[in-house]
Amino acid sequence: MTELLVKNACVIDPLSGINGEVMDLAIRNGKIVEEVSDAAEVVDAHRMLTMPGGVDSHTHICGTKVNFGRYMSPEDMRAGRTPRRGAMHATSGYSVPTTYGNSYRYSVMGYTTLLEGAMAPLEARHTHEEFTYTPLQDTMANTLFDGNWGIMEAIRDGDTKRVAAIIAWTLKAVKGFAIKLTNPGGTEAWQWGKNVSCIRDPVPYFEVTPAEIIRSVVEANELLHLPHSVHLHCNNLGTPGNYTCTLGSMGLIPDLNKKRQTLYATHVQYHAYGGSGWKDFCSKSEPIANFVNMRPQIVMDMGQVMFGRTTTMTADGPMEFNLYRLHHDKWSNHDVELETGSGIIPVVYRRKNLVNSIMWAIGLELALLTKSPWQCLLTTDNPNGAPFVKYPEIIALLMSKRYRDAEFATIHPDTESRVPLPAIERELDWHEIAVMTRAGQTRALGIQDLGKGHLAPGADADVAIYPFKIDEVDPSAEYQRVIDGFSQTEYTIKRGRVVARRGECLVHGSNATFWVAPKVPENYDMGKDPDFIEKFDRYYTVRMRNYPVQDEYLTRSRCIETEAEL
């Protein structure tokens, strides 16, 4: 039995209804408990800000496209180098660090749970292997279904239950956590040198539209009772005028779940663009935020852009080709057989570039104009908008109008006439930041009942203690103290152990991977379906029996079983 007592913690825990209460946290065997014995190890928090461990509901840290991003940019891998010391392995990389680099940097910032935003089912083994070497965070993976041939054929035939059955078999086979749709139908169209411009365009050779894919997969998700909603990357990313497509996509979504949203719209900054071209490019954050404010069934994340060098990576292959035509930098596209694809290109977001300046403003506007912090979560779509190490700066920007104005004075002067940001007075408080960085992300992912994102008895003892007292810091004026404080915890506690202290990770750690296994009736078991098996054997380059990921690939497996309504 191991026991730990965190004394004098100033706790903000939105899921437990605690907002700035000074209290003790008792931990036994990795769980929050009511009390511990006198023999417990004691950590005195000295009234410092204490929150549940951070949860990132959309990041790209593991898998084939991430690894390709590493060796595609050796200049990036030469940055961020740290030597081996103590329990810490040597690391390198800035926008696409090594797995240990990701894990240590997240841990130092107080993050303990991560969702890999896009895992190609056929390449799931690679993702799970890299999860193993991300030791200080629990992990899970969105699984890509945007170009799945079997699903598009079932949608064409009007068979939503078969759509659900294929999803159920695939998630269980690859040990995925949730459904990801990236540019639905567009990535498949790209295999034929085409794309779809919005939700009513037909996908070549399949006679379905993105709207039909979105609606059918959303219904299938709820039939399977998955913990998370569909995770949607809308069509037409990064194109002037695409906000109308985004509103159309959101308008497809009914309210189907009482516990959580029905749709998670990701990196909406990239989908909130106005104008007919780059010459009149402008922000349309206001209509997007207003739409979300009226629909509790939708949650989005910011996809905040920050200035500097980074690497973009996405399953949206045609978008990356368009980006290549703008930047003429290194570029890669990748096809994943009957499932999805990807693209990678390094980029630099520049302060004096008008388009980049508007993009920077839009992400902040979405967070500030969305009334409920539970509906707009803090991300950069790491590393697409910026590396996750920029989160403290984003927090400060959201908490300080003064800081936003100072930064706004450094960007392209024409930005002011194209965005509403200068007129927005709102400054977020500590509680709202706690929602946007852990409680809201936990509820959106559906992992609250699994012990994540809160500090009530029975929860996993994942705790972040930050080196400042909230009653002694004015975030509106002292924004640099906010940045410094959120950049490095005093203590990060993972599953009851102190894993990081003042910038140094102290233990190697052993993470857990969450995945789902929906139970379906025998007549919907795709592993026994003759047509599914025949198509698999005919078109895939691997045998069906070699496709599933073995248990050995998961260091600590946490399977979530659900009962499907089929």
Side-chain angles (χ1 to χ4, degrees):
M1 182 174 70
T2 59
E3 293 185 318
L4 180 67
L5 180 64
V6 180
K7 294 182 65 67
N8 304 314
C10 179
V11 177
I12 297 180
D13 178 6
L15 286 171
S16 301
I18 300 171
N19 188 10
E21 180 181 343
V22 178
M23 58 190 293
D24 297 343
L25 297 173
I27 299 168
R28 180 184 299 118
N29 294 338
K31 297 285 186 180
I32 303 292
V33 295
E34 295 283 359
E35 59 182 18
V36 290
S37 70
D38 294 339
E41 180 185 352
V42 175
V43 168
D44 195 333
H46 298 288
R47 294 176 45 249
M48 290 186 287
L49 174 62
T50 302
M51 297 192 287
V55 178
D56 197 338
S57 59
H58 190 99
T59 183
H60 299 282
I61 51 166
C62 295
T64 50
K65 72 176 181 298
V66 178
N67 203 40
F68 193 85
R70 293 185 182 111
Y71 64 75
M72 184 179 182
S73 299
E75 69 277 9
D76 186 83
M77 296 308 295
R78 285 193 289 269
R81 287 183 172 182
T82 61
R84 179 164 188 161
R85 68 178 189 274
M88 299 173 68
H89 291 256
T91 73
S92 65
Y94 172 62
S95 65
V96 196
T98 57
T99 55
Y100 284 118
N102 280 319
S103 191
Y104 299 154
R105 293 170 199 180
Y106 264 119
S107 188
V108 165
M109 290 168 50
Y111 277 74
T112 55
T113 305
L114 308 175
L115 175 78
E116 164 54 47
M119 176 176 74
L122 183 61
E123 298 171 342
R125 280 183 179 81
H126 190 116
T127 303
H128 287 294
E129 286 176 321
E130 292 200 343
F131 279 170
T132 300
Y133 297 100
T134 308
L136 300 180
Q137 288 78 30
D138 292 334
T139 52
M140 58 201 84
N142 279 338
T143 308
L144 288 158
F145 290 97
D146 42 75
N148 187 287
W149 287 18
I151 285 176
M152 287 192 289
E153 289 171 349
I155 293 170
R156 180 193 60 203
D157 297 339
D159 193 345
T160 301
K161 290 187 176 181
R162 186 173 179 85
V163 172
I166 294 171
I167 290 170
W169 182 87
T170 306
L171 286 174
K172 186 175 181 179
V174 305
K175 295 180 168 52
F177 177 74
I179 297 170
K180 177 69 177 288
L181 296 178
T182 296
N183 185 12
T187 301
E188 172 56 31
W190 182 238
Q191 316 314 323
W192 309 94
K194 302 178 181 180
N195 194 7
V196 293
S197 64
C198 199
I199 59 176
R200 304 299 175 186
D201 290 357
V203 180
Y205 306 102
F206 285 95
E207 301 173 11
V208 298
T209 65
E212 292 171 323
I213 295 172
I214 294 167
R215 274 197 298 252
S216 295
V217 173
V218 164
E219 291 174 14
N221 189 91
E222 300 310 314
L223 288 174
L224 295 173
H225 295 294
L226 299 183
H228 186 36
S229 66
V230 167
H231 203 107
L232 175 65
H233 160 140
C234 292
N235 302 103
N236 214 16
L237 179 146
T239 304
N242 66 5
Y243 81 101
T244 57
C245 184
T246 305
L247 292 173
S249 301
M250 291 179 173
L252 298 170
I253 309 303
D255 193 351
L256 300 178
N257 196 300
K258 294 181 180 179
K259 293 185 67 176
R260 55 147 170 81
Q261 75 287 341
T262 307
L263 179 75
Y264 182 111
T266 193
H267 47 58
V268 176
Q269 175 275 134
Y270 290 107
H271 303 276
Y273 297 167
S276 58
W278 298 115
K279 289 185 178 180
D280 60 351
F281 180 71
C282 63
S283 168
K284 287 295 181 179
S285 58
E286 289 177 299
I288 298 291
N290 290 339
F291 194 93
V292 171
N293 286 336
M294 295 185 291
R295 286 166 175 79
Q297 67 265 39
I298 296 174
V299 166
M300 60 181 172
D301 68 54
M302 298 164 64
Q304 178 65 34
V305 159
M306 298 293 279
F307 299 113
R309 180 175 295 277
T310 192
T311 304
T312 66
M313 53 183 64
T314 175
D316 193 343
M319 187 283 297
E320 287 286 44
F321 178 66
N322 289 335
L323 195 61
Y324 161 72
R325 292 194 296 178
L326 286 172
H327 289 264
H328 296 288
D329 205 336
K330 290 179 285 188
W331 162 66
S332 167
N333 261 147
H334 176 53
D335 174 32
V336 187
E337 299 191 13
L338 283 70
E339 297 175 347
T340 185
S342 68
I344 303 166
I345 179 172
V347 299
V348 180
Y349 297 114
R350 303 182 189 277
R351 290 178 181 271
K352 297 305 181 182
N353 179 289
L354 177 58
V355 169
N356 294 167
S357 297
I358 295 170
M359 293 167 71
W360 171 84
I362 290 173
L364 298 173
E365 291 163 3
L366 289 170
L368 295 166
L369 293 171
T370 303
K371 294 178 181 178
S372 170
W374 299 90
Q375 286 187 270
C376 188
L377 308 176
L378 194 155
T379 71
T380 59
D381 184 23
N382 170 71
N384 287 286
F388 63 83
V389 293
K390 294 286 190 177
Y391 287 179
E393 293 176 44
I394 300 170
I395 290 171
L397 287 164
L398 295 175
M399 299 187 81
S400 174
K401 165 72 169 166
R402 187 180 303 181
Y403 183 31
R404 293 198 298 271
D405 289 345
E407 288 293 286
F408 201 91
T410 69
I411 64 177
H412 195 287
D414 291 347
T415 306
E416 187 171 8
S417 63
R418 302 189 186 211
V419 304
L421 185 63
I424 300 175
E425 299 290 336
R426 184 182 178 187
E427 296 178 325
L428 301 189
D429 60 27
W430 303 108
H431 185 271
E432 290 171 314
I433 294 300
V435 171
M436 292 182 69
T437 58
R438 47 262 293 158
Q441 312 223 10
T442 297
R443 180 185 289 178
L445 294 176
I447 56 176
Q448 177 179 349
D449 294 341
L450 303 175
K452 294 300 178 186
H454 63 99
L455 299 174
D460 285 358
D462 297 349
V463 186
I465 304 173
Y466 294 97
F468 52 80
K469 300 173 183 178
I470 59 174
D471 57 354
E472 297 179 0
V473 176
D474 176 5
S476 179
E478 299 176 282
Y479 46 83
Q480 189 59 50
R481 289 186 66 184
V482 173
I483 296 171
D484 294 341
F486 280 110
S487 295
Q488 181 176 295
T489 61
E490 186 76 8
Y491 296 93
T492 302
I493 298 169
K494 180 78 185 78
R495 206 177 293 121
R497 294 193 301 168
V498 176
V499 297
R501 176 87 194 277
R502 296 179 182 172
E504 182 173 359
C505 295
L506 307 175
V507 299
H508 180 65
S510 178
N511 72 351
T513 297
F514 292 79
W515 58 285
V516 298
K519 294 182 179 179
V520 300
E522 188 171 354
N523 59 317
Y524 281 103
D525 182 355
M526 289 294 103
K528 301 176 182 177
D529 183 270
D531 184 61
F532 187 75
I533 294 170
E534 189 274 332
K535 280 189 169 59
F536 207 105
D537 289 343
R538 181 177 179 183
Y539 292 112
Y540 268 103
T541 57
V542 299
R543 296 291 185 186
M544 191 172 183
R545 64 177 178 271
N546 294 328
Y547 189 85
V549 174
Q550 294 88 349
D551 292 342
E552 291 76 11
Y553 280 83
L554 279 68
T555 305
R556 181 184 280 111
S557 175
R558 292 191 65 176
C559 177
I560 305 161
E561 294 185 342
T562 67
E563 291 284 348
E565 291 185 57
L566 300 183

